Amino acid sequence: MEKQHSGLIGRPRGFDADEALERAMLVFWEHGYEGASTAILTNAMGISTTSMYAAFGNKEKLFRKVLERYTEGPSAYLARALEEQTAFQVATAILAGTVRTTTRPAHPRGCLGVQGALTASGSGQEIRDLLIAWRNDGYRCIQDRFQRAVDEGDLPPQTDPGLLARYLTTFAYGIAVQAASGVDRDGLQEMADAALRNWPLL
């Protein structure tokens, strides 16, 4: 009886937290961190402000959970791409994943990691720093993979893995911005194909 009672205390909310988090991710993805007001968030999540704070903490903590979900969901193509056999296949998969994710039907256009904190007011500084760290982490993973490609002879010995990784990530984020501006999937894929035509570019 006691165990059952503690279980009830441990689950006070009467809503699907996973579904609410998914909806919050879409709001932040579309509006950015500062553009996503508490009222917009709670309305989309279908819960009260009290329930949001009880389940997820404040807006910043909610965004951190959303970013984790985005990394493991829509942005998971990066981890899969890094497992490709050659550096060229890695780059191809990253750009294809970027095009696919930033133009997915029924989802916001662009990239949560780019648009999440484009504004730079004092209140959003911690989130902006969080997203800079998130993007830098992705860059370092790609750099490490390209370094391995150099070590294994897959890339020419004179290749600068850091420069090549920076080029690729900059281009991928450019695709995300173009997607948010309304460029269609075919147009974005044409750009990606052009960028890979003379691999390695650097």
Side-chain angles (χ1 to χ4, degrees):
M1 189 69 140
E2 193 174 328
K3 186 183 289 186
Q4 188 178 23
H5 180 65
S6 65
L8 289 172
I9 291 175
R11 292 192 57 81
R13 50 182 183 266
F15 64 91
D16 186 331
D18 189 67
E19 176 65 23
L21 194 60
E22 176 72 16
R23 292 180 180 182
M25 180 182 75
L26 296 177
V27 170
F28 281 123
W29 193 345
E30 181 177 0
H31 297 281
Y33 179 75
E34 293 191 355
S37 67
T38 301
I40 294 173
L41 284 164
T42 53
N43 184 58
M45 295 164 79
I47 59 177
S48 67
T49 303
T50 303
S51 293
M52 187 190 89
Y53 277 82
F56 303 107
N58 60 21
K59 182 180 169 182
E60 181 185 325
K61 289 179 180 176
L62 174 62
F63 185 83
R64 289 176 183 274
K65 289 184 175 69
V66 159
L67 188 59
E68 287 177 14
R69 186 181 186 88
Y70 182 80
T71 302
E72 295 167 2
S75 192
Y77 67 85
L78 174 59
R80 291 192 298 269
L82 294 172
E83 296 174 0
E84 294 287 344
Q85 290 189 339
T86 68
F88 178 73
Q89 289 172 329
V90 169
T92 300
I94 288 173
L95 293 187
T98 303
V99 170
R100 189 172 58 251
T101 301
T102 58
T103 59
R104 186 175 294 175
H107 282 75
R109 308 271 295 188
C111 170
L112 173 66
V114 174
Q115 283 141 241
L118 289 178
T119 53
S121 73
S123 62
Q125 186 62 45
E126 285 190 24
I127 294 300
R128 192 175 71 151
D129 290 344
L130 172 68
L131 289 174
I132 289 172
W134 182 83
R135 292 193 297 269
N136 285 339
D137 183 61
Y139 159 75
R140 281 190 296 271
C141 289
I142 298 169
Q143 180 185 25
D144 291 346
R145 179 62 184 82
F146 287 167
Q147 180 63 61
R148 196 182 98 200
V150 172
D151 295 341
E152 294 174 349
D154 174 43
L155 284 172
Q158 70 274 17
T159 304
D160 182 334
L163 187 57
L164 191 57
R166 187 65 73 192
Y167 172 86
L168 186 65
T169 53
T170 299
F171 197 88
Y173 293 136
I175 285 176
V177 172
Q178 291 291 312
S181 300
V183 179
D184 64 23
R185 181 173 290 193
D186 289 342
L188 296 172
Q189 190 59 56
E190 283 179 12
M191 284 188 267
D193 293 343
L196 294 168
R197 209 158 281 148
N198 298 308
W199 181 266
L201 297 165
L202 305 170

